[in-house]
């Protein structure tokens, strides 16, 4: 069974970290306990050790920043398991390198998407699992926010709330942000969260809100007088009674 | 041993950390951890952690004894990792 390498939480206030360097390359055999990747935060540079021995599969490349708790790599126990993981992950560059080495035919690729989809073994706490069963929620769809990426009760409760409002259960959002989104009528499935593990926070909702007001301005030039702006804005966003006037070049 | 009070508490909170000056093996800490696991496994949101002294005799030197006895710092670092 493959082990996951997580972005570690190195302090109470740490929200994300940058991957500086992978000491081992894709597909390399690693031993448990050796340093495989070095992570940088605003306070410290830290080397993460391999949690198990096996073959390394990199999910997040060097130079990328990602939130605490996100899976940044996987270690497969055997070469076969490694090949299986690689073929499930949508990473064409990795596949090409692999094809070159092994000269084997791979299963047909799914169309390229912007997110990497790989089947991860989900760790679930017993409390969360029981709650999910009682409410009919699939724990495999949830991303955990507990230590080692574990799905905990909090995640299941959130999923239940999301389902009540008709959103798919995998969107993570803070309660305040959800209330704000409901107020302003924003569709949260379109927002990308900036909180830990991709959680949507208040500032993401505010950003999305100003962006919604901003759209009329990209269509009307700044030279025309204010009257034109008002009329055009009214036409594009009927029902709105006040506008945030942001001027840009 | 008042098992009920322990079970009620863990059922409410979902997490447990046991701090004991004894070694972990066959100590009161292991006993409590086992009672909880046997009786309210489904209520746990994270693995039970024991903070105990290492598997050595108590050191003579006062400096080394400070390492031996579990202290507040260790408790804080273990609890932080549970969330």
């Amino acid at each position: 069974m493959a082990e996951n390498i997580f972005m570690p939480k190195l302090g109470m206030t740490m929200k994300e970290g940058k991957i500086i360097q992978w000491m081992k390359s894709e597909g390399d055999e690693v031993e448990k306990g050796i340093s495989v990747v070095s992570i940088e935060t605003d306070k410290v540079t830290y080397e993460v050790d391999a949690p198990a021995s096996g073959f390394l599969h990199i999910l997040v490349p060097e130079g990328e920043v990602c939130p605490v708790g996100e899976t940044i790599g996987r270690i497969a126990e055997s070469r076969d398991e490694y090949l299986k993981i690689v073929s499930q992950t949508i990473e064409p560059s990795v596949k090409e390198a692999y094809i070159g080495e092994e000269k084997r035919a791979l299963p047909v690729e799914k169309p390229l998407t912007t997110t990497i989809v790989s089947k991860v073994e989900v760790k679930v706490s017993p409390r969360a699992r029981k709650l999910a069963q009682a409410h009919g929620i699939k724990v495999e769809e949830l991303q955990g926010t507990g230590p080692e990426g574990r799905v905990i009760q909090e995640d299941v409760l959130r999923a239940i709330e999301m389902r009540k409002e008709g959103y798919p259960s995998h969107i993570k959002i803070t309660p305040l942000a959800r209330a704000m989104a409901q107020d302003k009528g924003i569709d949260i499935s379109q927002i990308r969260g900036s909180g830990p593990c991709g959680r949507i926070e208040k500032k993401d909702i505010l950003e999305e809100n100003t962006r919604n007001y901003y759209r009329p301005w990209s269509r009307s030039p700044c030279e025309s007088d204010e009257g034109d702006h008002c009329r055009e804005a009214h036409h594009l966003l009927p029902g709105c009674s006040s506008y945030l006037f942001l001027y840009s070049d | 041993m008042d098992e009920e009070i322990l079970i009620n508490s863990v059922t409410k909170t979902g997490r447990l950390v046991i701090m004991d000056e004894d070694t972990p093996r066959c100590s009161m800490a292991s006993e409590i951890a086992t009672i909880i696991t046997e009786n309210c496994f489904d209520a746990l949101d994270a693995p039970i952690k024991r903070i105990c002294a290492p598997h050595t005799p108590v050191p003579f030197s006062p400096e080394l004894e400070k390492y031996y006895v579990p202290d507040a710092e260790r408790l804080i670092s273990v609890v932080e990792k549970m969330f």
Side-chain angles (χ1 to χ4, degrees), chain A residues 124-128 144-158 199, chain B residues 5-19 32-33 36-37 40-50 75 78-83:
Chain A
V124 189
S125 83
R127 196 178 181 113
T145 54
E148 295 169 20
R150 193 171 282 138
V151 173
I152 52 179
Q153 180 194 30
E154 190 184 294
D155 303 320
V156 178
L157 286 173
R158 205 186 311 115
R199 196 177 291 176
Chain B
I5 206 173
L6 295 170
I7 293 167
N8 288 343
S9 174
V10 175
T11 313
K12 196 171 63 161
T13 60
R15 288 176 175 88
L16 180 63
V17 174
I18 308 165
M19 205 154 147
I32 294 176
I36 296 297
T37 315
C40 51
F41 175 73
D42 287 315
L44 286 170
D45 222 3
I48 300 172
K49 291 282 179 202
R50 294 172 300 179
L75 176 63
V78 167
V79 170
E80 275 180 2
K81 290 202 197 97
M82 286 183 98
F83 287 89

Side-chain angles (χ1 to χ4, degrees), chain A residues 152-169:
Chain A
I152 52 179
Q153 180 194 30
E154 190 184 294
D155 303 320
V156 178
L157 286 173
R158 205 186 311 115
I160 295 169
E161 283 297 315
M162 307 288 338
R163 202 174 52 171
K164 273 200 211 139
E165 291 162 18
Y167 286 114
S169 56

Side-chain angles (χ1 to χ4, degrees), chain A residues 217 220 225-236 243 245:
Chain A
W217 298 102
S220 52
D225 63 82
E226 249 181 35
D228 282 347
H229 284 304
C230 279
R231 277 194 291 277
E232 241 176 309
H234 260 286
H235 168 69
L236 291 161
Y243 297 90
F245 285 85

Side-chain angles (χ1 to χ4, degrees), chain A residues 34-49:
Chain A
I34 61 151
S35 306
V36 284
V37 60
S38 104
I39 309 284
E40 186 188 74
T41 69
D42 49 6
K43 292 184 187 158
V44 71
T45 304
Y46 180 76
E47 285 181 2
V48 180
D49 294 342

